[in-house]
Amino acid sequence: MGSFPHIVEDCMGFLQVLSDGTIFRSKTIEFNMPLLHEKSVHFKDALFDKNHDLHLRIYKPMMISNNNNKKLPIIIFIHGGGFCLGSRVWPTCHNTCLRLASGLNALVVAPDYRLAPEHRLPAAMDDVASAMKWLQGQALSSGSENRDAWFNSEEVDFEQVFVLGDSSGGNIAHHMAVRFGLGSTELGPVRVRGYVLLAPFFGGVVRTKSEEGPSEALLNLDILDRYSRLFSFLDYSKFNNKFYIVDYYF
């Protein structure tokens, strides 16, 4: 008679892998931060991948600044979580996107992607690529029937798109840069002008300085605020055709 399944991998109790291959993923994670509400920004969810039941969240400023007749740039924000955790609805992602939309006067798109270990890499990369293809579909939709009203070409600039990724999301952003890099016409008429990697995660045999740093317990709202304050003062017009890595050591 065999023994009962036991835990072989445990990620803070949120995600557990049992010896028989069973995956336990908590659906009742408590956060020590509130879900922000910004009256100047609307947000809603949309399905972008019917086959995998994947959604994205769109954030749009209520008042569009028409200085110099500029349209809203588009920011694609890819959440982190070690490829195993995270969601567009988590406060860590939602609050950041809300502030990006408000501070930069930009339309922000935050896609979900399939998580490991149930879905091995490169599933996450494929899903974000699918979200970018969905954005291309919005740009190519000539009639209001197929296009989401928030992607009105009179208000949104499909030629000013920036991809931001946090931690493992930074890794995914890197792969998007490789796939849809400078010179690629695969996303036309969407044009990606820059990639911003926030403390990107890249695995390796030798630990980097950031991997040897403070524990995850030190990640808090104050640190997320630092990211938000940083991007509140960025001018997207300076991102043209450049590749950025933003890494912090605390």
Side-chain angles (χ1 to χ4, degrees):
M1 185 173 180
S3 60
F4 289 106
H6 59 278
I7 298 173
V8 294
E9 294 288 347
D10 188 354
C11 181
M12 299 177 288
F14 303 141
L15 178 65
Q16 296 176 332
V17 181
L18 304 185
S19 57
D20 64 353
T22 302
I23 307 296
F24 168 77
R25 186 182 294 278
S26 176
K27 295 182 180 180
T28 57
I29 299 175
E30 293 185 7
F31 294 89
N32 63 348
M33 64 184 71
L35 197 66
L36 295 182
H37 298 281
E38 175 60 64
K39 293 182 179 179
S40 65
V41 177
H42 285 310
F43 69 89
K44 66 178 181 180
D45 295 321
L47 178 70
F48 75 89
D49 187 333
K50 186 176 180 180
N51 291 333
H52 298 114
D53 192 31
L54 290 172
H55 293 74
L56 49 76
R57 181 162 288 183
I58 312 165
Y59 301 78
K60 188 174 184 180
M62 291 178 61
M63 299 296 293
I64 299 176
S65 175
N66 288 320
N67 295 336
N68 301 321
N69 295 318
K70 282 187 177 180
K71 301 177 183 179
L72 290 177
I74 299 172
I75 296 174
I76 298 176
F77 183 82
I78 310 168
H79 70 75
F83 303 107
C84 297
L85 300 169
S87 166
R88 73 190 189 284
V89 304
W90 281 19
T92 48
C93 180
H94 174 81
N95 294 354
T96 298
C97 292
L98 205 65
R99 288 163 173 165
L100 286 171
S102 174
L104 292 179
N105 195 46
L107 186 142
V108 178
V109 178
D112 272 343
Y113 50 86
R114 286 171 291 167
L115 300 174
E118 300 95 318
H119 306 283
R120 293 190 172 190
L121 297 177
M125 288 73 172
D126 292 340
D127 293 341
V128 175
S130 177
M132 296 180 72
K133 285 288 189 178
W134 178 89
L135 180 63
Q136 179 188 37
Q138 296 299 312
L140 292 172
S141 298
S142 56
S144 57
E145 227 176 85
N146 300 318
R147 175 182 289 170
D148 188 293
W150 284 17
F151 289 89
N152 185 332
S153 58
E154 298 299 318
E155 298 178 343
V156 174
D157 193 346
F158 289 103
E159 293 190 359
Q160 295 289 343
V161 178
F162 304 92
V163 179
L164 278 66
D166 168 45
S167 191
S168 56
N171 182 295
I172 297 173
H174 162 76
H175 283 276
M176 296 304 101
V178 172
R179 177 166 176 176
F180 304 117
L182 184 64
S184 172
T185 59
E186 191 174 346
L187 287 176
V190 170
R191 186 171 181 183
V192 180
R193 297 285 186 167
Y195 294 83
V196 181
L197 280 59
L198 303 176
F201 169 80
F202 293 97
V205 176
V206 180
R207 286 187 176 274
T208 64
K209 183 178 178 181
S210 61
E211 290 175 317
E212 295 173 349
S215 68
E216 290 288 332
L218 291 183
L219 293 178
N220 53 42
L221 187 58
D222 290 337
I223 291 175
L224 293 175
D225 281 341
R226 294 186 199 180
Y227 286 145
S228 298
R229 286 196 295 270
L230 169 69
F231 286 101
S232 292
F233 295 99
L234 286 181
D235 180 358
Y236 77 87
S237 65
K238 297 177 182 177
F239 287 174
N240 290 356
N241 300 325
K242 294 184 179 179
F243 184 87
Y244 294 84
I245 294 181
V246 182
D247 203 350
Y248 288 95
Y249 303 118
F250 300 103

